[in-house]
Amino acid sequence: MSTLKIAIQKSGRLNEDSIQILKDCGISINNGNDQLKAEASNFPLEVLYLRNSDIPQYLIDGVVDLAIVGDNLLVEKGKHIEVIQKLGFSKCKVSVAVPKTFEYNSIQDLAGLRVATSYPNTVNEYFGSFGLKVDIHQISGSVEIAPNIGLADAIVDIVSSGSTLFKNNLKEVEVILKSEAVLAVSPKVSSEIQKHIDTLKFRIQAVLRARSSKYILMNVPNDKIDEIGKILPVLRSLTVLPLAQEGWSSVHSVIDKDTFWDVIDKLKEAGAEGILVCPIEKMVL
Ligand SMILES: Nc1ncnc2c1ncn2[C@@H]1O[C@H](COP(=O)(O)OP(=O)(O)OP(=O)(O)O)[C@@H](O)[C@H]1O
Ligand SMILES: O=P(O)(O)OC[C@H]1O[C@H](OP(=O)(O)OP(=O)(O)O)[C@H](O)[C@@H]1O
Ligand SMILES: [Mg+2]
């Protein structure tokens, strides 16, 4: 039987969340990440632990069928690689930053200047889209130090909280793109492998849906059920079960985890009592 080969980051920002999402899909991987290759015991899957920055090329060559990779790396090195699912973690931006003292008005101010980055293609394309050229200094890490040591006038690098920029006396002046971890697929997969990919994607979607939702239960006087129903965004219809106490029901629903505090206030106002909010393990539509 064919085995699906998936690349995940060996160590770094994506590693733990990538392993966790496979685990949440019910997949048991047979070792820790001390080896570069591991097999799943209960899914036709082989996991290859690789450098994030090498993953786009492995996908292009078909050495791996699938990968969990930062989308910004695909923009840099894998333009034609198909993304089949955004995964919602490792969210960041790729931005242009300059020293705080730089009097920046527009991108034209950087024409012809030295830009330090680990993402030369992204930089060329971005400045090229304004008809500008810059002098790229490619470095593989600690990019934010470059202006302070006289290596560059500006940088293009990853920004998340902004604290690395702040510590290095830099300011973000343009956001080139927004990125997150994604599930990306090689252009060379066979139809047999594609079936395994579809199965895995189905499981990942169930996990992601569950992560973004909460199950909510509450006691509601029967004459308030319609009003409560209007507050709850429901998948199909509300589940309403009679309670032992005459005139009351137990109402169940699924709500978005980011809006549940707002919804709960409205539910209380509308007469709901004993509200319980529970995590959802998996959600299959
Ligand atoms: N501070 C951050 N906050 C959120 N996401 C980030 C942050 N830094 C990087 N990322 C995302 O995580 C990915 C992996 O970053 P990380 O620094 O672990 O590895 P890397 O330097 O790209 O590479 P490699 O695995 O090749 O050594 C990046 O490509 C980016 O998508
Ligand atoms: O806006 P912030 O929250 O400060 O995050 C941004 C920093 O995070 C990443 O570096 P990382 O810590 O991964 O180190 P690295 O340069 O060794 O990859 C990135 O390269 C930035 O330097
Ligand atoms: Mg990094």
Side-chain angles (χ1 to χ4, degrees):
M1 200 167 89
S2 59
T3 302
L4 173 63
K5 291 199 189 80
I6 186 168
I8 65 172
Q9 193 188 22
K10 181 177 179 291
S11 61
R13 302 235 172 212
L14 302 170
N15 172 268
E16 266 182 36
D17 286 331
S18 303
I19 292 173
Q20 188 61 47
I21 206 161
L22 294 178
K23 267 193 195 153
D24 290 350
C25 288
I27 294 171
S28 307
I29 303 165
N30 281 337
N31 74 339
N33 54 3
D34 50 333
Q35 286 174 24
L36 297 182
K37 233 163 82 164
E39 284 198 0
S41 55
N42 54 358
F43 197 89
L45 185 76
E46 188 172 59
V47 181
L48 282 83
Y49 298 98
L50 301 169
R51 294 280 301 266
N52 183 48
S53 40
D54 292 337
I55 287 177
Q57 195 57 46
Y58 283 106
L59 285 167
I60 292 167
D61 295 342
V63 175
V64 295
D65 306 305
L66 204 61
I68 297 178
V69 62
D71 195 21
N72 60 304
L73 250 304
L74 296 180
V75 172
E76 174 65 22
K77 294 180 171 178
K79 267 269 143 64
H80 304 295
I81 298 288
E82 190 190 355
V83 169
I84 57 169
Q85 183 66 49
K86 292 182 175 182
L87 298 174
F89 57 86
S90 292
K91 290 191 175 178
C92 58
K93 298 172 278 183
V94 174
S95 300
V96 184
V98 296
K100 276 183 190 150
T101 50
F102 192 115
E103 284 176 26
Y104 182 89
N105 295 305
S106 77
I107 196 73
Q108 273 75 18
D109 296 345
L110 300 179
L113 298 188
R114 297 165 304 161
V115 176
T117 190
S118 311
Y119 307 108
N121 298 329
T122 308
V123 172
N124 263 329
E125 199 168 306
Y126 181 71
F127 283 91
S129 72
F130 295 97
L132 302 174
K133 262 193 160 275
V134 288
D135 179 11
I136 294 176
H137 285 242
Q138 186 174 350
I139 44 181
S140 55
S142 305
V143 172
E144 292 89 346
I145 199 80
N148 288 317
I149 57 173
L151 188 70
D153 306 297
I155 65 156
V156 169
D157 199 24
I158 285 167
V159 177
S160 176
S161 65
S163 77
T164 312
L165 290 185
F166 183 79
K167 283 186 215 145
N168 288 282
N169 282 316
L170 301 172
K171 60 181 177 187
E172 181 184 58
V173 290
E174 305 289 345
V175 176
I176 299 181
L177 59 95
K178 290 188 174 170
S179 175
E180 65 186 272
V182 295
L183 190 64
V185 67
S186 164
K188 297 196 172 173
V189 295
S190 66
S191 56
E192 208 179 336
I193 290 292
Q194 186 60 48
K195 281 190 198 137
H196 298 324
I197 293 176
D198 293 343
T199 307
L200 184 60
K201 183 179 161 190
F202 178 81
R203 291 193 191 184
I204 286 177
Q205 287 177 336
V207 168
L208 293 176
R209 251 182 246 121
R211 282 184 186 174
S212 65
S213 308
K214 298 276 180 198
Y215 194 77
I216 184 167
L217 307 84
M218 71 213 82
N219 297 335
V220 178
N222 288 345
D223 60 351
K224 298 280 169 61
I225 291 174
D226 283 350
E227 198 179 332
I228 295 281
K230 285 184 196 132
I231 299 168
L232 289 167
V234 283
L235 280 179
R236 216 160 259 161
S237 62
L238 287 183
T239 304
V240 180
L241 304 168
L243 286 179
Q245 189 181 346
E246 187 88 9
W248 283 75
S249 295
S250 173
V251 173
H252 301 205
S253 185
V254 172
I255 59 172
D256 188 275
K257 81 168 179 13
D258 293 328
T259 58
F260 88 93
W261 285 116
D262 295 341
V263 173
I264 279 171
D265 287 340
K266 287 184 198 150
L267 293 171
K268 276 171 62 191
E269 273 166 37
E273 292 180 10
I275 302 171
L276 281 182
V277 179
C278 312
I280 298 173
E281 169 84 20
K282 304 282 182 294
M283 198 162 139
V284 179
L285 292 184

